[in-house]
Amino acid sequence: MDALKTWNSIKTGDSNSFLALYDSLYTALFRYGLKINADREVVKESIHILFCDLWEKREKLPMLTTDPKYYLFVWLKRVIYKQHTYQNIPLEDLLHTPIEDSIESQKIIIEETLERDQALRAAMDNLTKKQHRYIDLKFFQNKSYEEIADMENAALRTVYNVVHEAIKKLKGSLSVIIVVVLNFSK
């Protein structure tokens, strides 16, 4: 899907284009947001605010000549900062890694995030439905093994085994990227 065409369709009120943009960028925005703020809930809320604002302000969106994803990544960063301003948290406490000033370095970070997202999506497509579901629940929805077992009406040992096999399969596909994406300490 052409990103500029999608952007222009959103400007005219096309809800299908809006949903397609949301679906295609959510994971990458989420990962980028975690680089700015380690609190998953703050990042999820910020993405929600971003897309609500995008839809509400769609008629006033600027005409873009480049891919809108960069515009949305910068917008997300501003939303996350605003969230913390309202909560009266010092900006120094917000950042767990320094943010580089140059636009070029920000573009590189965004591109790397998008590349990792594409690689992960491709690797996830190679999993069975059950493996895909369990990995999504465990690492993207932050559910415990016990919660997954309850939700899926499965034995706890089964959940451990399915997740373990899925991670082995993903490691084979992604090697280095998997370490960055999945936090094994959880």
Side-chain angles (χ1 to χ4, degrees):
M1 179 177 279
D2 178 24
L4 287 174
K5 186 176 178 181
T6 301
W7 184 259
N8 289 328
S9 295
I10 291 169
K11 285 176 58 79
T12 62
D14 182 2
S15 61
N16 289 330
S17 293
F18 176 78
L19 293 173
L21 182 71
Y22 178 88
D23 288 341
S24 68
L25 288 179
Y26 180 87
T27 304
L29 285 166
F30 182 73
R31 285 199 195 97
Y32 179 71
L34 288 175
K35 290 179 184 230
I36 298 167
N37 185 320
D39 186 334
R40 298 169 74 87
E41 295 307 313
V42 169
V43 174
K44 286 178 186 177
E45 179 66 21
S46 297
I47 293 171
H48 176 75
I49 291 168
L50 163 71
F51 278 98
C52 286
D53 286 350
L54 175 67
W55 185 251
E56 287 175 11
K57 298 174 182 177
R58 65 187 177 275
E59 294 169 353
K60 298 176 186 172
L61 292 174
M63 289 299 280
L64 299 178
T65 56
T66 60
D67 196 334
K69 65 186 169 204
Y70 300 110
Y71 184 81
L72 293 173
F73 277 78
V74 171
W75 192 346
L76 176 63
K77 183 172 27 169
R78 289 185 184 138
V79 170
I80 291 171
Y81 288 159
K82 249 188 223 178
Q83 292 283 89
H84 279 277
T85 302
Y86 293 141
Q87 296 172 4
N88 293 323
I89 297 173
L91 192 55
E92 300 81 38
D93 293 346
L94 169 64
L95 302 174
H96 65 287
T97 56
I99 290 188
E100 307 206 13
D101 294 330
S102 93
I103 292 173
E104 238 359 86
S105 63
Q106 288 299 307
K107 255 185 151 175
I108 290 169
I109 291 170
I110 291 168
E111 282 300 324
E112 288 171 351
T113 302
L114 289 170
E115 286 173 16
R116 280 192 300 270
D117 182 56
Q118 284 179 327
L120 180 62
R121 283 177 190 253
M124 293 280 287
D125 287 344
N126 293 327
L127 299 177
T128 67
K129 280 186 176 185
K130 183 185 270 188
Q131 289 172 332
H132 191 284
R133 172 106 173 112
Y134 286 14
I135 289 291
D136 179 61
L137 289 169
K138 177 68 181 145
F139 296 103
F140 296 100
Q141 295 183 33
N142 210 23
K143 302 290 184 194
S144 70
Y145 287 105
E146 292 80 11
E147 289 173 315
I148 296 169
D150 287 343
M151 290 172 66
E152 298 297 309
N153 198 25
L156 185 58
R157 187 85 225 133
T158 301
V159 174
Y160 280 117
N161 290 341
V162 170
V163 170
H164 176 73
E165 288 301 315
I167 289 172
K168 277 182 22 182
K169 204 172 193 181
L170 288 171
K171 277 184 179 179
S173 300
L174 299 173
S175 62
V176 175
I177 295 173
I178 195 71
V179 174
V180 174
V181 175
L182 301 176
N183 182 354
F184 292 109
S185 64
K186 293 185 179 179

